[in-house]
Amino acid sequence: MERRWRIRKVDRGHLFRLAKEVSLPKVMARVLMNRGIFTPHEAIQFLDPPRHLLETLGELPGLEEAVVLLDRVLRENGRILIFGDYDVDGLTGSALLWRFLKSLSAQVDYYIPNRFTEGYGLTREAAARVLREKAPHLVITVDCGIRDWDGIALLRQSGVHVILTDHHLPDFERHPEVEALVSSFDLATEKPIFPLAGAGVALALAFRYAEYRKLNRNPLEEYLGLACLGTVADAVPLLGVNRVIARYGLADLNRNLPVGIRALLEVAGLSEREIGVEEISCIIAPRLNAAGRMADSGLAMKLLLSEDWEEALRISQDLQALNTRRQKEEERILAEISENGRYGAYLEDGIVVVSGKNWNLGVLGIIASRLSRRLSRPVIVLSEEEKLSVGSGRSVEGFNLLRVLEEASHLLVRYGGHEMAVGLRILPEKIPEFRTFVNRHFGEEARKASAVQGLIVDALVDLGEVDQRLLSWLEKLGPFGEQNPNPLFAVLNVSLLKSWIWGKSNQHLRCLVKQGREVQEMVVFHGKEKASDLSGSSLVDLAFEVQRDNYGNYPYLKVHDWRIKK
């Protein structure tokens, strides 16, 4: 199981000063310094971020033009269509904007494209269907549109106003010609302003319009839970305003859970569980995404908007079934990649590019992500359709996969995304040439980025330091997620007392470990197959997170890796 461990170092004098001035345990001061936090003011702001930081969302460029146009269409009783992406980010952003605008006008509708028949974004085909079936006066995009030149051009040629809201990386030399463009990037400096999710950008629009109209309501209060779902599900950095969205949004969700999400948890058998980042990432988001991955995202959107308990339960049961199908499809394709000899050489490349006949388009991104984690290399997975292959790619830290597609754009029909996750379309006959090109020009760079992947350990600790006090301090660092990971600690020379297998499917490993007089419980999730590695050992080093037990309310070690000493 061994991976490379990199234990971070900090200046000891600075460490002691920060710990003393903020009355922190030294291990906490070390964790904060590892996150670039060095002053008492920065530490206090990070540990207890003020909710009013949400108001900085109103500073996004393009909002002034957007609210003026939106106000004009609302006052003229024009038909407004919200066009959202089919993932959780797009769905929750569309849902919050629909709820907000629907309270101001009856002339509000939404449209979520079908992944299989229309593909991602506001394509020309999707725009034509919108014109034909919805005949809107104004289209507001959510979590898409920044590279949809053709679809937006068709809307504008047909006299439709467009407000574009998106958080994806623009083409800075060319962006769609719209009356209002609200992006998380500064188009002049080509730098990100806030690394928001699409739902965060949608929330900014609702908030700024409420301010503009001096409405006696605050979308930052009403819809923060929905924005939190999209922010966490889309794995944007949980720093700055995103962390405020996630922290206070989670609190709002736990105080007042929407009917649809409550039904989703009920069907999953987790109705009593508190909602955190893990619950969104591992339970809620996969079920909502299952609609678009296996059928139609309209089902998930309907759940997010539902106020009827019985209806929400029925939809949740359908989503549960779709999620089960999605899991089986993933395992089938992963098994094909692992067992079919023709993929062997491709899996050794610096940038792994694999393709198969008619693989389900809805699971390509998940498979790319799982393979990338397993191989510690960038991975692109493509489904070979009859006329056009569609794919998704996932990268590793420090390697910009979108830049690779930009350089290979002469081989592609369409592409988009960001550094860590991309989508693309390519003619099937071009796949071998594409694989050769990306590896010839970027394969070595990808290998170098992969070589430094490993576990970054915040601090070495003694087992006795892992107690309720440390756990309470660590929880102030949350919510944990992208670029704000749960701190990773290492403890050396612990002995194994006993171990056992547990869990519904008997797939997890639990152990008691001892260092000196201190005894702690450790858990290796999905660790059944690794039990034999530990059973004969008497002394190990552990790399772990500190987690709170859901039932006993005590800290335990969630183990990421170990080194057997003897």
Side-chain angles (χ1 to χ4, degrees):
M1 192 179 183
E2 291 184 10
R3 285 182 277 171
R4 182 183 179 188
W5 296 8
R6 289 190 291 153
I7 299 173
R8 286 176 160 169
K9 296 179 180 180
V10 298
D11 180 87
R12 289 179 62 82
H14 209 134
L15 170 70
F16 284 109
R17 281 197 302 275
L18 184 62
K20 182 179 179 180
E21 290 175 10
V22 191
S23 300
L24 291 170
K26 287 193 288 294
V27 68
M28 272 295 295
R30 183 183 292 273
V31 170
L32 287 171
M33 290 175 67
N34 289 341
R35 280 157 171 70
I37 297 164
F38 297 101
T39 69
H41 174 73
E42 290 171 338
I44 291 166
Q45 282 280 100
F46 192 85
L47 295 170
D48 190 20
R51 187 166 182 143
H52 68 72
L53 286 177
L54 292 169
E55 295 174 9
T56 59
L57 289 172
E59 299 170 8
L60 284 179
L63 281 175
E64 294 309 307
E65 295 88 343
V67 298
V68 169
L69 175 56
L70 176 58
D71 188 55
R72 190 170 88 232
V73 175
L74 282 169
R75 290 182 185 279
E76 294 172 355
N77 200 32
R79 290 184 297 276
I80 298 173
L81 181 79
I82 298 162
F83 187 101
D85 186 22
Y86 41 58
D87 69 359
V88 174
D89 186 22
L91 291 168
T92 52
S94 298
L96 77 84
L97 206 52
W98 184 91
R99 285 181 178 274
F100 174 64
L101 294 177
K102 197 70 172 177
S103 67
L104 303 174
S105 169
Q107 297 274 62
V108 179
D109 202 352
Y110 66 84
Y111 187 95
I112 310 294
N114 184 290
R115 182 193 299 262
F116 303 100
T117 60
E118 294 170 286
Y120 169 78
L122 184 49
T123 61
R124 192 171 183 86
E125 293 74 22
R129 189 171 178 183
V130 161
L131 289 169
R132 190 169 61 249
E133 297 181 4
K134 304 291 185 178
H137 296 105
L138 168 66
V139 168
I140 305 175
T141 73
V142 175
D143 192 30
C144 62
I146 198 68
R147 290 175 179 252
D148 293 333
W149 304 282
D150 293 344
I152 287 174
L154 179 58
L155 292 178
R156 297 293 296 120
Q157 290 161 11
S158 303
V160 178
H161 303 294
V162 177
I163 296 174
L164 194 162
T165 80
D166 199 354
H167 74 119
H168 291 99
L169 184 68
D171 180 334
F172 293 107
E173 296 180 1
R174 176 192 177 205
H175 50 79
E177 295 182 9
V178 294
E179 291 147 288
L181 195 162
V182 185
S183 170
S184 56
F185 286 83
D186 187 321
L187 299 181
T189 65
E190 301 187 5
K191 294 180 179 178
I193 303 165
F194 306 125
L196 295 168
V201 182
L203 181 66
L205 177 59
F207 165 63
R208 187 65 194 92
Y209 184 74
E211 272 194 328
Y212 177 80
R213 282 284 302 274
K214 296 182 172 59
L215 300 177
N216 189 27
R217 54 191 297 195
N218 187 353
L220 299 180
E221 302 288 339
E222 292 181 59
Y223 308 115
L224 195 63
L226 282 169
C228 169
L229 288 174
T231 296
V232 172
D234 218 51
V236 293
L238 287 191
L239 296 172
V241 71
N242 284 339
R243 185 159 168 266
V244 182
I245 290 172
R247 172 172 281 204
Y248 291 102
L250 286 171
D252 289 359
L253 283 171
N254 283 298
R255 276 195 303 269
N256 185 25
L257 201 58
V259 171
I261 302 303
R262 188 155 49 90
L264 204 64
L265 292 172
E266 175 82 21
V267 170
L270 298 165
S271 57
E272 300 302 316
R273 193 148 160 183
E274 184 174 341
I275 304 298
V277 168
E278 188 172 349
E279 285 68 28
I280 293 175
S281 301
C282 301
I283 300 165
I284 296 170
R287 285 162 174 78
L288 291 174
N289 273 330
R293 294 187 188 283
M294 306 305 294
D296 193 305
S297 286
L299 196 62
M301 185 68 170
K302 195 173 180 181
L303 181 73
L304 290 172
L305 299 179
S306 179
E307 298 291 348
D308 181 274
W309 176 247
E310 294 302 323
E311 176 190 56
L313 275 178
R314 287 194 301 272
I315 296 173
S316 296
Q317 287 161 355
D318 290 341
L319 292 178
Q320 180 93 336
L322 288 172
N323 192 51
T324 300
R325 272 181 52 201
R326 186 266 307 169
Q327 291 169 328
K328 291 178 179 177
E329 186 69 4
E330 276 177 45
E331 296 305 326
R332 183 188 70 78
I333 296 172
L334 280 167
E336 182 179 340
I337 293 170
S338 300
E339 296 166 10
N340 191 322
R342 83 180 184 95
Y343 296 108
Y346 304 152
L347 296 177
E348 299 299 321
D349 286 339
I351 299 174
V352 175
V353 179
V354 292
S355 62
K357 296 285 186 184
N358 300 313
W359 285 348
N360 187 301
L361 303 182
V363 300
L364 300 181
I366 301 175
I367 291 168
S369 180
R370 290 178 64 177
L371 281 175
S372 181
R373 287 198 302 269
R374 183 191 300 174
L375 301 171
S376 293
R377 270 172 283 144
V379 174
I380 294 172
V381 181
L382 295 147
S383 175
E384 299 173 18
E385 308 295 317
E386 185 177 344
K387 295 182 179 178
L388 193 65
S389 292
V390 179
S392 286
R394 298 294 182 268
S395 194
V396 295
E397 198 67 39
F399 186 79
N400 186 338
L401 193 54
L402 182 60
R403 182 168 62 91
V404 174
L405 297 196
E406 288 171 342
E407 293 298 321
S409 60
H410 61 285
L411 299 171
L412 305 176
V413 174
R414 192 176 182 209
Y415 69 94
H418 49 80
E419 290 187 9
M420 296 295 290
V422 298
L424 65 154
R425 295 187 174 204
I426 183 172
L427 296 173
E429 61 270 20
K430 292 284 187 181
I431 293 174
E433 184 181 354
F434 172 74
R435 181 186 293 113
T436 301
F437 179 89
V438 299
N439 276 289
R440 179 188 300 130
H441 293 277
F442 297 98
E444 190 58 36
E445 183 184 337
R447 287 188 187 281
K448 288 178 180 177
S450 301
V452 299
Q453 303 300 310
L455 295 180
I456 299 175
V457 177
D458 281 281
L460 286 173
V461 297
D462 293 326
L463 209 55
E465 294 180 77
V466 182
D467 56 15
Q468 285 281 6
R469 180 169 177 260
L470 176 62
L471 181 60
S472 297
W473 273 109
L474 289 174
E475 288 175 341
K476 291 179 179 291
L477 297 171
F480 299 114
E482 189 71 23
Q483 294 186 25
N484 186 38
N486 204 318
L488 200 62
F489 301 104
V491 60
L492 307 181
N493 301 321
V494 300
S495 54
L496 178 69
L497 298 181
K498 62 181 288 191
S499 64
W500 63 99
I501 304 299
W502 68 287
K504 286 183 180 179
S505 304
N506 289 321
Q507 57 185 330
H508 309 308
L509 175 65
R510 222 171 182 117
C511 306
L512 284 181
V513 292
K514 183 179 181 181
Q515 185 187 53
R517 296 182 178 180
E518 298 294 331
V519 176
Q520 288 281 4
E521 191 170 309
M522 66 170 252
V523 173
V524 184
F525 288 101
H526 304 285
K528 179 181 178 180
E529 290 78 12
K530 306 176 182 78
S532 58
D533 294 346
L534 283 172
S535 60
S537 62
S538 58
L539 205 63
V540 296
D541 298 341
L542 302 174
F544 62 92
E545 296 175 15
V546 181
Q547 295 280 354
R548 185 183 296 277
D549 182 84
N550 285 330
Y551 304 101
N553 208 30
Y554 57 83
Y556 69 89
L557 317 184
K558 179 183 175 182
V559 173
H560 286 234
D561 197 15
W562 60 69
R563 293 173 175 168
I564 296 173
K565 297 295 213 37
K566 64 178 182 178

